[in-house]
Amino acid sequence: MSESWKSRTAAVHGGIRRSQYGEMSEAIFLTQGFVYETAEAAEARFIELGEDEFIYARYGNPTVRMFEERIAGLEGAEDAFATASGMAAVSGALTALLKAGDHVVSARALFGSCLYILEEVLGRYGVEVTFVDGTDLDQWRAAIRPDTRLVFFESVSNPTLEVTDLRAVADLAHAAGALVVVDNVFATPVFSDAIGQGADLVVYSATKHIDGQGRTLGGVILGSKELIRKRIEPYMKHTGAAMSPFTAWVLLKGLETLDLRVRAQAANAAAVAGAVEGHPALARVLYPGLDSHPQHDLAMAQMGGSGGTMVAIDLKGGQEAAFRFLNALKIALISNNLGDAKTIVTHPATTTHQRLSDEQKATLGITPGLVRVSLGIEDGEDLVADLLQALDAAV
């Protein structure tokens, strides 16, 4: 892949491996293993794997490697390791880097499953975790200690769209010798330069915008070749969270249209947020692209002038009003996914963050009336009309 290629070119042509047949679309290598011409060749490959050599599908596969190289080029990372799901990427990145006695500082506003990994799993194995308000640099500064090994946060939080100052937190962490792991799903590879802003590892649920069409689960961890191949790969290949070749092929197809879809989704998000702000049914509208967002200026600087594809709205009437709103929608679909070509609405308090206590929900701003809206690529005027009529029905 040429280093001079712009992102949309890299998303179509990066990492390509053509067989002797010269196929136009990427080949799917549906094999669990590989044949060696001699016993000596097998021995040599197990001693040191060549750049384009493979041993076993759990360790690597040509189709999966195409996806890894393509997304790494798009993200501006040296390397990547593809995983079976987004949570496999999050849990793998954290557990591969940590051991008993280590200290982690994490933003408290996280997806429910990420909170489970940090609160339950890491604690079970002797890792101490300190949670902070991700938007408050003083809290990060106070929490990071000489024995802090890693900091973790979502660049834009799920579901309340808080924006963490990636570069500032990375500087604080690196000064203490800690690694920076960023869940970048809401920012997307299109709008974010997390590696360039200081992240050591970036994780994505490829299920979201990268596939973006509701077809498959997948995840990816991106970073330096040193971290990916010496720290992440050994852990992932022995614990078994590898991506399947068919999933990698689907995601390669998703990458081809990622830029077009995400920009259309973000345009719809901006239109919807502007149209519903001030509606009498709403207590607040959260969208980083709005001047009213608490971290608007930071979001614009950090995400290349885009507010992203997600909007959160908080209905004054609580859960009852939120459910009336959800049930009145005609285009938007009720589901717990996001980043899809179809517009999706989610009630976090009763679904994705249901396991949290009422106190935790209140701390994170997940009110009974909060609805997360993931904008799709439908006509923007149709989406605005749909949400407005549903809000009218919720009053």
Side-chain angles (χ1 to χ4, degrees):
M1 183 170 67
S2 172
E3 292 184 3
S4 66
W5 285 353
K6 293 183 171 55
S7 60
R8 275 168 59 173
T9 305
V12 175
H13 294 288
I16 196 72
R17 280 170 162 76
R18 287 194 171 89
S19 75
Q20 70 270 31
Y21 299 110
E23 61 278 349
M24 173 64 77
S25 183
E26 296 82 0
I28 309 176
F29 291 90
L30 286 177
T31 180
Q32 95 289 1
F34 301 85
V35 175
Y36 315 103
E37 291 187 4
T38 64
E40 290 81 4
E43 180 188 34
R45 197 172 294 188
F46 271 80
I47 292 171
E48 184 175 0
L49 201 61
E51 182 65 27
D52 203 33
E53 293 181 334
F54 302 92
I55 291 175
Y56 190 59
R58 182 157 44 82
Y59 293 20
N61 172 281
T63 312
V64 175
R65 193 63 188 141
M66 280 190 269
F67 170 70
E68 290 171 342
E69 291 184 356
R70 186 172 296 181
I71 186 67
L74 183 61
E75 186 70 24
E78 288 182 358
D79 210 343
F81 192 93
T83 64
S85 69
M87 284 313 305
V90 172
S91 62
L94 295 176
T95 50
L97 298 174
L98 296 168
K99 65 183 186 305
D102 284 347
H103 177 242
V104 172
V105 181
S106 171
R108 66 190 182 195
L110 299 172
F111 175 55
S113 294
C114 293
L115 281 171
Y116 175 81
I117 297 297
L118 287 154
E119 291 178 330
E120 303 289 338
V121 177
L122 294 184
R124 193 181 304 158
Y125 295 107
V127 175
E128 181 187 357
V129 181
T130 300
F131 289 98
V132 298
D133 178 346
T135 67
D136 188 338
L137 287 177
D138 287 337
Q139 289 196 28
W140 284 103
R141 193 174 289 109
I144 293 172
R145 312 185 315 220
D147 64 339
T148 300
R149 295 290 171 260
L150 181 149
V151 303
F152 177 74
F153 56 93
E154 296 171 354
S155 52
V156 182
S157 74
N158 180 4
T160 52
L161 305 177
E162 295 179 359
V163 182
T164 295
D165 190 331
L166 201 161
R167 192 181 300 278
V169 173
D171 286 346
L172 291 171
H174 291 153
L179 293 171
V180 178
V181 181
V182 177
D183 184 331
N184 214 32
V185 167
F186 277 27
T188 80
V190 174
F191 296 134
S192 175
D193 178 22
I195 297 287
Q197 292 167 352
D200 296 297
L201 289 178
V202 175
V203 295
Y204 286 104
S205 170
T207 311
K208 310 304 189 289
H209 301 89
I210 294 171
D211 172 31
Q213 293 159 81
R215 299 170 297 191
T216 190
L217 295 175
V220 63
I221 308 168
L222 302 111
S224 68
K225 191 171 289 291
E226 177 82 9
L227 280 174
I228 295 296
R229 294 302 152 192
K230 292 188 178 179
R231 302 287 297 278
I232 301 299
E233 181 186 10
Y235 178 84
M236 299 303 291
K237 75 181 185 182
H238 291 300
T239 54
M243 179 179 286
S244 80
F246 182 75
T247 294
W249 182 82
V250 172
L251 295 175
L252 282 163
K253 298 294 99 182
L255 282 175
E256 292 180 353
T257 61
L258 174 68
D259 191 281
L260 299 173
R261 286 184 286 104
V262 167
R263 291 189 189 280
Q265 290 170 277
N268 280 340
V272 163
V276 303
E277 190 173 37
H279 192 283
L282 295 176
R284 57 179 176 154
V285 176
L286 297 171
Y287 180 63
L290 290 176
D291 290 341
S292 57
H293 190 279
Q295 294 95 42
H296 170 72
D297 291 342
L298 172 62
M300 293 299 96
Q302 194 161 288
M303 293 171 59
S306 173
T309 69
M310 308 292 298
V311 178
I313 58 176
D314 197 349
L315 285 90
K316 292 177 181 176
Q319 180 174 319
E320 185 178 346
F323 278 24
R324 284 200 302 269
F325 166 76
L326 294 169
N327 293 334
L329 290 164
K330 295 178 170 55
I331 297 174
L333 306 172
I334 303 171
S335 184
N336 50 289
N337 194 24
L338 61 92
D340 199 277
K342 301 177 180 69
T343 296
I344 291 172
V345 289
T346 306
H347 187 249
T350 56
T351 58
T352 57
H353 292 70
Q354 183 271 337
R355 62 173 286 272
L356 302 183
S357 68
D358 290 342
E359 182 180 0
Q360 286 176 303
K361 291 174 188 173
T363 299
L364 297 175
I366 302 173
T367 66
L370 188 76
V371 174
R372 188 187 71 192
V373 185
S374 171
L375 279 303
I377 62 172
E378 302 96 337
D379 184 89
E381 292 184 7
D382 288 341
L383 292 175
V384 167
D386 190 30
L387 266 71
L388 288 175
Q389 66 82 24
L391 286 172
D392 291 341
V395 174

PDB file of all heavy atoms in Angstrom, residues 61-73:
ATOM      1  N   ASN A  61      -4.392 -15.772   9.018  1.00  0.00           N
ATOM      2  CA  ASN A  61      -5.039 -16.277   7.814  1.00  0.00           C
ATOM      3  C   ASN A  61      -4.899 -15.194   6.741  1.00  0.00           C
ATOM      4  O   ASN A  61      -4.956 -13.997   7.059  1.00  0.00           O
ATOM      5  CB  ASN A  61      -6.510 -16.570   8.131  1.00  0.00           C
ATOM      6  CG  ASN A  61      -7.330 -16.925   6.914  1.00  0.00           C
ATOM      7  OD1 ASN A  61      -7.728 -16.045   6.157  1.00  0.00           O
ATOM      8  ND2 ASN A  61      -7.593 -18.199   6.727  1.00  0.00           N
ATOM      9  N   PRO A  62      -4.718 -15.547   5.481  1.00  0.00           N
ATOM     10  CA  PRO A  62      -4.521 -14.521   4.451  1.00  0.00           C
ATOM     11  C   PRO A  62      -5.663 -13.505   4.350  1.00  0.00           C
ATOM     12  O   PRO A  62      -5.408 -12.306   4.173  1.00  0.00           O
ATOM     13  CB  PRO A  62      -4.390 -15.330   3.164  1.00  0.00           C
ATOM     14  CG  PRO A  62      -3.898 -16.671   3.604  1.00  0.00           C
ATOM     15  CD  PRO A  62      -4.543 -16.909   4.933  1.00  0.00           C
ATOM     16  N   THR A  63      -6.910 -13.956   4.452  1.00  0.00           N
ATOM     17  CA  THR A  63      -8.030 -13.011   4.373  1.00  0.00           C
ATOM     18  C   THR A  63      -8.051 -12.101   5.589  1.00  0.00           C
ATOM     19  O   THR A  63      -8.257 -10.890   5.480  1.00  0.00           O
ATOM     20  CB  THR A  63      -9.370 -13.761   4.257  1.00  0.00           C
ATOM     21  OG1 THR A  63      -9.279 -14.764   3.253  1.00  0.00           O
ATOM     22  CG2 THR A  63     -10.494 -12.790   3.906  1.00  0.00           C
ATOM     23  N   VAL A  64      -7.824 -12.676   6.758  1.00  0.00           N
ATOM     24  CA  VAL A  64      -7.775 -11.879   7.983  1.00  0.00           C
ATOM     25  C   VAL A  64      -6.620 -10.883   7.921  1.00  0.00           C
ATOM     26  O   VAL A  64      -6.754  -9.726   8.324  1.00  0.00           O
ATOM     27  CB  VAL A  64      -7.648 -12.789   9.223  1.00  0.00           C
ATOM     28  CG1 VAL A  64      -7.479 -11.961  10.492  1.00  0.00           C
ATOM     29  CG2 VAL A  64      -8.863 -13.703   9.338  1.00  0.00           C
ATOM     30  N   ARG A  65      -5.481 -11.336   7.375  1.00  0.00           N
ATOM     31  CA  ARG A  65      -4.333 -10.430   7.291  1.00  0.00           C
ATOM     32  C   ARG A  65      -4.617  -9.266   6.349  1.00  0.00           C
ATOM     33  O   ARG A  65      -4.155  -8.141   6.583  1.00  0.00           O
ATOM     34  CB  ARG A  65      -3.100 -11.210   6.833  1.00  0.00           C
ATOM     35  CG  ARG A  65      -1.803 -10.429   7.012  1.00  0.00           C
ATOM     36  CD  ARG A  65      -1.538 -10.140   8.480  1.00  0.00           C
ATOM     37  NE  ARG A  65      -0.407  -9.230   8.650  1.00  0.00           N
ATOM     38  CZ  ARG A  65      -0.361  -8.264   9.552  1.00  0.00           C
ATOM     39  NH1 ARG A  65      -1.385  -8.071  10.364  1.00  0.00           N
ATOM     40  NH2 ARG A  65       0.690  -7.490   9.667  1.00  0.00           N
ATOM     41  N   MET A  66      -5.367  -9.506   5.287  1.00  0.00           N
ATOM     42  CA  MET A  66      -5.760  -8.406   4.407  1.00  0.00           C
ATOM     43  C   MET A  66      -6.542  -7.351   5.176  1.00  0.00           C
ATOM     44  O   MET A  66      -6.304  -6.145   5.039  1.00  0.00           O
ATOM     45  CB  MET A  66      -6.577  -8.919   3.228  1.00  0.00           C
ATOM     46  CG  MET A  66      -5.768  -9.511   2.111  1.00  0.00           C
ATOM     47  SD  MET A  66      -6.759  -9.830   0.626  1.00  0.00           S
ATOM     48  CE  MET A  66      -7.289 -11.510   0.916  1.00  0.00           C
ATOM     49  N   PHE A  67      -7.489  -7.815   6.007  1.00  0.00           N
ATOM     50  CA  PHE A  67      -8.272  -6.863   6.804  1.00  0.00           C
ATOM     51  C   PHE A  67      -7.382  -6.115   7.783  1.00  0.00           C
ATOM     52  O   PHE A  67      -7.481  -4.892   7.930  1.00  0.00           O
ATOM     53  CB  PHE A  67      -9.394  -7.594   7.555  1.00  0.00           C
ATOM     54  CG  PHE A  67     -10.076  -6.728   8.578  1.00  0.00           C
ATOM     55  CD1 PHE A  67     -10.894  -5.672   8.186  1.00  0.00           C
ATOM     56  CD2 PHE A  67      -9.876  -6.946   9.936  1.00  0.00           C
ATOM     57  CE1 PHE A  67     -11.503  -4.856   9.133  1.00  0.00           C
ATOM     58  CE2 PHE A  67     -10.484  -6.136  10.883  1.00  0.00           C
ATOM     59  CZ  PHE A  67     -11.303  -5.086  10.474  1.00  0.00           C
ATOM     60  N   GLU A  68      -6.494  -6.838   8.466  1.00  0.00           N
ATOM     61  CA  GLU A  68      -5.610  -6.190   9.444  1.00  0.00           C
ATOM     62  C   GLU A  68      -4.749  -5.113   8.789  1.00  0.00           C
ATOM     63  O   GLU A  68      -4.594  -4.009   9.313  1.00  0.00           O
ATOM     64  CB  GLU A  68      -4.717  -7.244  10.109  1.00  0.00           C
ATOM     65  CG  GLU A  68      -5.481  -8.181  11.038  1.00  0.00           C
ATOM     66  CD  GLU A  68      -4.640  -9.349  11.514  1.00  0.00           C
ATOM     67  OE1 GLU A  68      -3.592  -9.640  10.885  1.00  0.00           O
ATOM     68  OE2 GLU A  68      -5.024  -9.987  12.510  1.00  0.00           O
ATOM     69  N   GLU A  69      -4.179  -5.422   7.645  1.00  0.00           N
ATOM     70  CA  GLU A  69      -3.306  -4.458   6.974  1.00  0.00           C
ATOM     71  C   GLU A  69      -4.098  -3.270   6.443  1.00  0.00           C
ATOM     72  O   GLU A  69      -3.629  -2.130   6.481  1.00  0.00           O
ATOM     73  CB  GLU A  69      -2.531  -5.147   5.854  1.00  0.00           C
ATOM     74  CG  GLU A  69      -1.487  -6.130   6.376  1.00  0.00           C
ATOM     75  CD  GLU A  69      -0.655  -6.750   5.272  1.00  0.00           C
ATOM     76  OE1 GLU A  69      -0.932  -6.489   4.075  1.00  0.00           O
ATOM     77  OE2 GLU A  69       0.275  -7.509   5.601  1.00  0.00           O
ATOM     78  N   ARG A  70      -5.306  -3.526   5.951  1.00  0.00           N
ATOM     79  CA  ARG A  70      -6.109  -2.432   5.403  1.00  0.00           C
ATOM     80  C   ARG A  70      -6.564  -1.479   6.498  1.00  0.00           C
ATOM     81  O   ARG A  70      -6.452  -0.259   6.353  1.00  0.00           O
ATOM     82  CB  ARG A  70      -7.314  -2.981   4.630  1.00  0.00           C
ATOM     83  CG  ARG A  70      -8.100  -1.894   3.908  1.00  0.00           C
ATOM     84  CD  ARG A  70      -9.175  -2.466   3.000  1.00  0.00           C
ATOM     85  NE  ARG A  70      -8.580  -3.245   1.915  1.00  0.00           N
ATOM     86  CZ  ARG A  70      -9.289  -3.836   0.961  1.00  0.00           C
ATOM     87  NH1 ARG A  70     -10.622  -3.751   0.963  1.00  0.00           N
ATOM     88  NH2 ARG A  70      -8.703  -4.522  -0.003  1.00  0.00           N
ATOM     89  N   ILE A  71      -7.066  -2.006   7.613  1.00  0.00           N
ATOM     90  CA  ILE A  71      -7.534  -1.129   8.692  1.00  0.00           C
ATOM     91  C   ILE A  71      -6.353  -0.426   9.358  1.00  0.00           C
ATOM     92  O   ILE A  71      -6.459   0.740   9.769  1.00  0.00           O
ATOM     93  CB  ILE A  71      -8.394  -1.914   9.722  1.00  0.00           C
ATOM     94  CG1 ILE A  71      -9.008  -0.971  10.759  1.00  0.00           C
ATOM     95  CG2 ILE A  71      -7.606  -2.993  10.415  1.00  0.00           C
ATOM     96  CD1 ILE A  71     -10.030  -0.026  10.225  1.00  0.00           C
ATOM     97  N   ALA A  72      -5.197  -1.083   9.438  1.00  0.00           N
ATOM     98  CA  ALA A  72      -4.010  -0.431  10.003  1.00  0.00           C
ATOM     99  C   ALA A  72      -3.590   0.750   9.141  1.00  0.00           C
ATOM    100  O   ALA A  72      -3.260   1.826   9.661  1.00  0.00           O
ATOM    101  CB  ALA A  72      -2.865  -1.432  10.133  1.00  0.00           C
ATOM    102  N   GLY A  73      -3.604   0.579   7.823  1.00  0.00           N
ATOM    103  CA  GLY A  73      -3.259   1.682   6.937  1.00  0.00           C
ATOM    104  C   GLY A  73      -4.233   2.833   7.046  1.00  0.00           C
ATOM    105  O   GLY A  73      -3.842   4.007   7.034  1.00  0.00           O
TER     106      GLY A  73
END
